[in-house]
Amino acid sequence: MTFSLFDRMLPAPMEGGFRMEGWWVWCGSVVRGEDGRFHMFASRWPKWMPMHPGWLLRSEIVRASSDTPEGPYTYEETVFPARGAEYWDGRSTHNPHIIRYGDKYLLYYMGSTHPFPEPRPGETVEADDCRVIAARANKRVGLAVADSIYGPWKRLDTPILPTRPGKFDSFLTSNPAPCIREDGSVLLVYKARRYEGTTHGQMTLGAAEAAGYEGPYRVIQDAPLFPPERFHIEDPFIWRTAEGYAMIAKDMDGKLCGEKHGGILALSPDGRDWRLADQPKSYSRRVRWEDGSERWMGSFERPFLLFQEGQPTHLFAAVADGPGGFRQAEHTWNMVIPLRTSP
């Protein structure tokens, strides 16, 4: 990518993207199907639960569709309903990332489970709930494959990225960001945390490779991609460039791009060695809308770029209203920002 993503953002359509009454909506990932329409894979969970940490217990991946990339997208089906505590992803599925590769659709995602009774309407669910603690520790990256955008989806019974004792990803793996190379091999960047005593350390990013999407996936180095004492980031999205790879990700503290929860841009020649771009800011929580207004979003997360004919044409993000912070949001949805594709 030879131009600044930040400089190419057009006003966002007021009614674009995907939202659902009665549901928290998050994690939008879009692909053009064999029918020529645009299909968004998103996560949702009921609003009788708190936005956070409710997603850890009741998130499910759904599919919505639209005739245009901008939307609005209409709910079509629940792709991954809960399938039981005995499965590694049996209680929650989240972080969908959809890819069309040849005649296959690859759906990378995070799954989790816990051995306790499901929460019911009227219950209070907080971060210290035993179900939340267990579900957080059981977060793993998985993959499902289908021949059609409409399924059926073959969900694997084991995660493709298990945790590794004593490593930076000993506690959890999540937030998969895959990139399929020209030869069919895969570079997969993911979020990880390690055990520190009886709890987890801060967020880091790792990378794994596979000769094909079927796996096995092998972590390519025993150190995180970025030094955690300097880089506090999450929500990676990666793609191929003429020079190697590019990544956008959420800057948790604002120390890298200059805006808390804004986006960074990082570059790598090989997927292993990464550095901040000379212009490190890739997106902002401040959004320009097509009616001429501007608005600071309470949250702007899980960035996803839709590529068409080799060019990024739309940026999708999970957003929330309110002054900031999950607990102060009343509504969440997946929004879309069109991008200029010419200089």
Side-chain angles (χ1 to χ4, degrees):
M1 182 171 171
T2 58
F3 58 79
S4 167
L5 176 69
F6 188 72
D7 293 337
R8 296 300 176 104
M9 294 184 183
L10 299 172
M14 303 296 294
E15 302 301 323
F18 175 51
R19 65 189 76 202
M20 292 188 73
E21 280 295 321
W23 297 88
W24 302 110
V25 173
W26 212 243
C27 299
S29 174
V30 175
V31 70
R32 194 165 196 174
E34 68 267 25
D35 56 1
R37 306 184 73 239
F38 295 88
H39 297 261
M40 177 185 289
F41 289 77
S43 53
R44 70 171 190 178
W45 56 104
K47 290 191 77 171
W48 57 260
M49 300 191 73
M51 192 274 178
H52 177 74
W55 62 275
L56 278 162
L57 305 183
R58 290 290 298 268
S59 178
E60 61 184 16
I61 292 175
V62 300
R63 180 178 61 83
S65 67
S66 169
D67 290 329
T68 66
E70 293 82 6
Y73 287 79
T74 301
Y75 169 83
E76 298 285 358
E77 63 171 337
T78 298
V79 179
F80 293 159
R83 60 174 179 168
E86 67 270 29
Y87 291 96
W88 71 272
D89 60 350
R91 297 297 189 119
S92 175
T93 52
H94 202 65
N95 298 149
H97 187 121
I98 185 69
I99 291 179
R100 186 175 184 179
Y101 176 66
D103 59 355
K104 300 289 184 182
Y105 292 90
L106 313 178
L107 184 52
Y108 292 82
Y109 65 102
M110 184 280 295
S112 185
T113 191
H114 65 82
F116 306 105
E118 287 273 25
R120 301 296 178 190
E123 286 189 56
T124 300
V125 178
E126 300 291 347
D128 61 354
D129 189 299
C130 63
R131 294 167 293 194
V132 173
I133 294 171
R136 185 184 298 279
N138 285 323
K139 290 168 62 177
R140 305 289 185 270
V141 170
L143 171 66
V145 181
D147 295 328
S148 167
I149 199 67
Y150 299 98
W153 293 91
K154 181 182 178 183
R155 255 204 276 188
L156 303 180
D157 290 338
T158 56
I160 61 172
L161 276 182
T163 53
R164 300 181 302 150
K167 307 297 184 181
F168 68 87
D169 50 8
S170 60
F171 186 76
L172 62 79
T173 65
S174 66
N175 295 53
C179 179
I180 310 294
R181 302 185 179 107
E182 291 80 359
D183 62 0
S185 63
V186 183
L187 174 67
L188 179 60
V189 172
Y190 63 99
K191 186 175 86 172
R193 284 182 164 177
R194 69 179 303 156
Y195 264 107
E196 292 187 0
T198 58
T199 185
H200 54 78
Q202 70 184 72
M203 302 171 190
T204 57
L205 297 184
E209 291 181 320
Y213 67 83
E214 303 94 339
Y217 289 79
R218 179 184 60 84
V219 179
I220 61 179
Q221 58 190 35
D222 284 337
L225 296 183
F226 300 94
E229 63 273 12
R230 289 185 50 233
F231 285 75
H232 188 194
I233 57 178
E234 68 164 349
D235 291 351
F237 178 94
I238 66 170
W239 69 98
R240 289 283 278 162
T241 70
E243 297 79 23
Y245 298 89
M247 173 196 299
I248 55 176
K250 176 186 171 186
D251 185 349
M252 297 297 293
D253 302 320
K255 296 178 180 179
L256 302 172
C257 75
E259 179 188 323
K260 183 177 181 179
H261 294 179
I264 68 156
L265 174 64
L267 305 171
S268 172
D270 55 9
R272 294 171 177 260
D273 298 316
W274 292 84
R275 64 170 180 84
L276 278 180
D278 293 337
Q279 297 182 16
K281 193 168 187 176
S282 62
Y283 61 81
S284 172
R285 285 169 51 208
R286 185 169 186 151
V287 173
R288 291 186 301 130
W289 298 90
E290 62 184 3
D291 67 353
S293 65
E294 291 190 351
R295 177 181 177 188
W296 282 97
M297 308 308 297
S299 296
F300 191 103
E301 305 191 8
R302 299 293 298 146
F304 178 92
L305 288 172
L306 174 66
F307 280 75
Q308 299 185 83
E309 298 181 357
Q311 292 288 329
T313 61
H314 297 79
L315 171 67
F316 293 85
V319 295
D321 60 5
F326 297 135
R327 295 184 182 278
Q328 301 187 77
E330 294 186 9
H331 304 285
T332 66
W333 67 101
N334 288 324
M335 70 166 294
V336 57
I337 299 176
L339 304 174
R340 286 191 292 113
T341 56
S342 58

